[in-house]
Every structure is written in structure tokens, then in C-alpha cells.
Amino acid sequence: MALSSLYGRLITDSEIDETINLDELTAYPGISIEDKQLTCRRCLSQLSLKKNILQDDRYYCSCCMILGRISTATTLYTIPEPNLFSTQKGSPLTWNGQLTTCQEICANEVKQIFKNLGARHLLWAVTGAGKTEMLFKGIEAAIMDGKRICLASPRVDVCIELFPRLQAAFQNIDICLLHGKTTEPYRYTQLVICTTHQLLRFHKAFDVMIVDEVDAFPYAQNQLLLQATAQATKQNGASLFLTATPSEDLLKEVRLKQLTVSYLPIRFHGQLLPEIKIKFEKAWEKNLKKGRLPKKLTLKMTEWLKREDPFLIFVPKIWLLEPVIEAFKKKFPNLKGDTVYSEDPDRLDKVKAIRTGELRYLITTTILERGVTFANLDVFVLGADDKTFSTAALVQIAGRVGRNVNRPFGDVIFLCSDYTLSIKKAVGQIKTMNRKARKLKI
């Protein structure tokens, strides 16, 4: 184990091998007890003594178990982040793409934020606006200034998508990818891409903290992950939050001037967002149990079959995947498709298969609502009025469509029994974005 693997990290005693001299490290008790209350040093959660006791009278943290158990017998070790990255004169940016005028404005604002001590900023841009590309100037400047940068996301899929894009944009910079399924060991690098849960392993490590899809589950309103983000960022570090659908909490911070904001209501190709079309069908779920697809979906399929484009069918519950795919195979036996959900071990392969054309469609849960891009896509949402689909989720699902410059359009169909407030807000939000986008185009 390299000593550098502890720079700005919080590592348990069980993770440290015998090659490390513990005298060179700063040690913390994994859990401290004060006034009959437990405090976990890794995730900063405060816990009840009664609810977090083990059989041998030790106490443990039930909040960050996903990264391995911390107990009163655990010692955490770290070395303060030394920033062993020199300033550079030449640019590390190898991306030679061109930003639009609107993207350029946002990119320059992001670059300035990364230079400001303690700055907190929201980049609010519609799906398909090119948020990742708008980061490049800021990351470029931060690397040249010798700063350490983290790009975190709540979703593993998003991190996996971002990694090759950042590698291509900064070909001479070593980048570490961290998530629960990675097999590569951690190493000390200037640029880190990780899931937000991995931030629990860092301590004042980053000069620049970027959180993508800040409104997504499990990050949104998750106090544990909010604390992890703050703990992983240096005291005077800059923080940037990216989303197409900001929460009310974020918008409140903007109103209170606790958070500055850049806003971009138009996509990189300059075209408007495809708008949602509502279809009503009361007995669709009952018919599905009898092996029949919803009539409105079958009618739409006759139209989609005239072209070669892929499509996604979203369902609100995992149990619906099997009856939908069975009904699909029965009705359209010549179409190749599959199901996908968050715990599917073949999820990444299936996403790749629809991109390559091996599959024509996927029946999916909300796992594909964001962070993945498919060319020439159409989407159909079954049971859009289900509580599973929040306004943000519905907007993100609609945002999968029309992202290709050669096909900036497509169908976004919501099938429902009732016109819920979430659907109404999603429809209104997209219409509002398009109104603002039209003004930019005038």
C-alpha cells in the first residue's frame, strides 16, 4: 500500500497493511461517545446508544454500513491532503470541441467559481445542454493551478459514463474512478470521479467539488451524503452543483443568496426540448395482467415500427417488468428487447446492446431516467401517474429524447389514469424551458 493512498482519506485500521508506519498517520476513534450519544467519525452521524449496540458491548454506526462497519473498536487513519500537484503553464485540455455562445458564458462563470475561495454555485441547465463540456474550462484552470478536483454523482451509471469523457478531454491527466462495483484499487490522483457514497472515505481532500445530478436519488435530501460532500471538501474549497431539475431547497438557497446560479434553458444543438404527450387509459394494468399490452402503447408501436430507432418503456415498479416484456414478445415477436433495473448484474451490457443496435428496446425502471444518452430515442412511460415518478424523474425521462444533433426530436408519451400534480408540473416545466429557449434564439 502506498502512503499516498491515505492523503486526504479516512481509512479503517483493517484496510491498512503492514507496510505502513502508523506513526506517520493521524488517528481518530471510529466512534466517540459523549453524553450518552454516539458520533461516527466517518459519516458524522449521531446515533442512539440503545439502537447501535453489538453483542460484545461494542457500539457501531448503522448509517455508513455500505462501506463496511465502523465500531468503537475501529480506528480511522488519515494524512492531511498535501496537494502534491504542481502548477502548469501548458493546458492539460485535449478536447477540441466548440462551445456555443450560451455554453461559453456558463463555462466562464464555472471557471471563475473554481477560483473563488469557498464559492458555492448551481449550474442549472436543461437535459442535453452539454453540462459536462461546460465543466472543461474550469477543470482545466483548476489543474493548471495545482488544485485537486472531484466530480461526484449519486449514480454508478453516471460515473461510468463520465469517466471516458473526462479521459478523452484530459488525456494526459491520471483520473481515478471510484464506485462500489469498481475492481481497480484506489490511487492518489489530481482528478477523481466517484459516487457520492465514496465521499465518506475522504477528509478535506478537494479544492474543487462538483456534484452532478444533485437532485437524484439517493443524494437528494440525504443528510448523510450532504455531510460527506462537505467533509470531503477543503475548508476554502469551491463547490459546484449540476442539475436540470433543482430541488426547492437549492432554489431557496439561490433566493437567499447562499448559492450563485448559472442558467441555460437550451440544448447544445439549439433545438427545443421534446414536449410531453399525455395518453389516458384506465384499465391498462388490469389488461397487462391478462397478457395484453395497453391499447395506446400498441397504437404507438405501429408508428414506431415504421422506423429503425430504439425506444425505452418505463414502468413504475419492478414487478411490472416481466409482464410487460412477455406481452411485448407475444405481440411483437420479431423485436429484440430486454428488461433492466438497478440490481440487474447485466445492466451495463444491456445499455451497451441498445446503443450498438443489438437490442431495439429496453423495459426499464427509473434507473435509466438520467445519466445515459442514446441516439434517436423515443420513450413511453407506463403509469406516469404513479407516486414512483416525481416531477424531476418525469422531466429527466423526457430529457432522454432529442439529444442527437441529427435527430433533435422524438416522442415522449406518458400513459396514465389520472393527471397528477407531478405530471402537470413536468409538462409545465418543459414548456417554461422552451419559452425561455425561444427568447434566446430570437
Side-chain angles (χ1 to χ4, degrees):
M1 173 182 277
L3 196 63
S4 61
S5 64
L6 282 97
Y7 294 163
R9 297 270 281 168
L10 281 174
I11 303 297
T12 64
D13 42 12
S14 63
E15 296 173 290
I16 295 177
D17 62 37
E18 65 279 358
T19 63
I20 299 295
N21 181 2
L22 298 183
D23 293 336
E24 297 182 58
L25 314 179
T26 302
Y28 298 103
I31 292 179
S32 58
I33 305 175
E34 190 174 341
D35 297 330
K36 297 184 178 180
Q37 187 166 273
L38 307 173
T39 300
C40 175
R41 185 65 184 77
R42 182 165 68 186
C43 70
L44 304 180
S45 295
Q46 295 188 322
L47 308 149
S48 162
L49 285 171
K50 291 182 180 179
K51 295 180 179 178
N52 292 272
I53 189 168
L54 297 168
Q55 290 182 340
D56 57 2
D57 293 331
R58 288 180 298 141
Y59 296 97
Y60 74 102
C61 176
S62 56
C63 293
C64 57
M65 288 277 288
I66 193 171
L67 297 179
R69 189 165 69 188
I70 294 276
S71 75
T72 41
T74 304
T75 301
L76 289 169
Y77 290 98
T78 188
I79 299 176
E81 167 61 45
N83 261 75
L84 299 180
F85 311 105
S86 57
T87 57
Q88 299 182 24
K89 290 184 178 179
S91 170
L93 184 62
T94 51
W95 181 73
N96 52 18
Q98 189 70 38
L99 296 176
T100 66
T101 302
C102 293
Q103 287 177 320
E104 191 83 34
I105 292 169
C106 291
N108 287 330
E109 289 173 348
V110 166
K111 180 179 177 180
Q112 189 56 46
I113 287 299
F114 290 174
K115 290 181 177 293
N116 295 342
L117 295 177
R120 298 178 73 252
H121 191 76
L122 170 66
L123 176 54
W124 179 4
V126 296
T127 56
K131 288 188 289 292
T132 304
E133 288 74 17
M134 286 186 272
L135 298 177
F136 291 165
K137 273 194 170 187
I139 293 174
E140 173 193 30
I143 290 173
M144 292 177 72
D145 288 343
K147 293 179 178 179
R148 196 175 187 207
I149 308 112
C150 178
L151 175 49
S153 171
R155 299 280 180 90
V156 171
D157 301 64
V158 176
C159 292
I160 291 170
E161 290 254 339
L162 286 170
F163 183 58
R165 294 172 67 183
L166 269 291
Q167 280 186 313
F170 298 93
Q171 293 176 11
N172 300 315
I173 299 296
D174 191 18
I175 305 173
C176 182
L177 174 64
L178 288 177
H179 55 77
K181 298 178 181 179
T182 187
T183 55
E184 291 292 319
Y186 170 79
R187 63 188 186 281
Y188 182 61
T189 61
Q190 189 169 8
L191 181 55
V192 173
I193 298 173
C194 68
T195 55
T196 47
H197 271 97
Q198 293 294 325
L199 295 177
L200 290 163
R201 294 185 183 275
F202 289 96
H203 179 68
K204 300 188 186 309
F206 300 105
D207 303 281
V208 172
M209 174 62 69
I210 306 164
V211 185
D212 193 13
E213 305 289 1
V214 71
D215 63 301
F217 176 85
Y219 189 83
Q221 298 177 327
N222 185 319
Q223 196 58 39
L224 178 78
L225 296 179
L226 294 175
Q227 288 174 175
T229 305
Q231 180 171 260
T233 310
K234 293 183 182 178
Q235 189 170 355
N236 292 320
S239 299
L240 175 68
F241 306 103
L242 311 178
T243 183
T245 48
S247 66
E248 185 52 41
D249 288 341
L250 282 172
L251 295 177
K252 184 179 179 181
E253 287 191 65
V254 171
R255 289 194 295 271
L256 294 174
K257 300 190 185 307
Q258 297 170 350
L259 193 65
T260 54
V261 63
S262 298
Y263 181 67
L264 183 54
I266 195 165
R267 287 181 154 175
F268 77 96
H269 50 50
Q271 302 302 311
L272 302 181
L273 297 165
E275 296 193 357
I276 297 164
K277 297 172 185 174
I278 308 296
K279 303 290 182 182
F280 292 97
E281 191 170 329
K282 288 285 184 183
W284 72 267
E285 198 168 326
K286 185 186 294 185
N287 288 331
L288 190 61
K289 290 177 181 177
K290 297 176 182 178
R292 297 197 299 267
L293 288 175
K295 292 179 182 177
K296 300 289 172 67
L297 175 55
T298 303
L299 286 171
K300 181 51 64 176
M301 283 304 305
T302 59
E303 182 183 324
W304 287 355
L305 286 175
K306 294 174 184 176
R307 49 186 190 251
E308 300 293 322
D309 300 329
F311 58 91
L312 300 178
I313 308 293
F314 284 86
V315 297
K317 299 178 179 70
I318 290 177
W319 73 263
L320 283 165
L321 293 171
E322 202 57 38
V324 173
I325 192 77
E326 287 303 316
F328 239 94
K329 288 178 178 178
K330 182 180 177 182
K331 186 71 176 177
F332 307 103
N334 296 324
L335 283 186
K336 292 189 70 175
D338 212 329
T339 62
V340 67
Y341 60 100
S342 61
E343 298 304 316
D344 188 339
D346 300 319
R347 187 172 88 222
L348 300 178
D349 291 333
K350 290 175 182 180
V351 168
K352 183 179 179 181
I354 197 171
R355 285 199 177 116
T356 60
E358 184 182 339
L359 294 178
R360 178 74 185 275
Y361 68 91
L362 287 173
I363 315 295
T364 179
T365 60
T366 53
I367 190 62
L368 295 186
E369 77 180 36
R370 64 179 76 221
V372 289
T373 299
F374 305 100
N376 309 330
L377 191 74
D378 296 299
V379 301
F380 198 107
V381 182
L382 286 172
D385 50 342
D386 192 276
K387 291 181 180 178
T388 301
F389 294 117
S390 64
T391 296
L394 293 173
V395 171
Q396 290 284 355
I397 287 170
R400 298 310 95 206
V401 177
R403 299 168 77 96
N404 190 333
V405 67
N406 297 316
R407 188 187 184 260
F409 52 83
D411 286 329
V412 181
I413 314 294
F414 287 4
L415 184 79
C416 54
S417 301
D418 300 300
Y419 193 60
T420 61
L421 184 60
S422 291
I423 294 175
K424 183 179 179 180
K425 285 183 175 179
V427 170
Q429 193 173 127
I430 290 174
K431 287 182 181 293
T432 298
M433 291 171 182
N434 282 343
R435 279 198 300 272
K436 292 184 177 183
R438 287 188 190 97
K439 291 179 182 178
L440 284 178
K441 294 174 74 174
I442 292 173

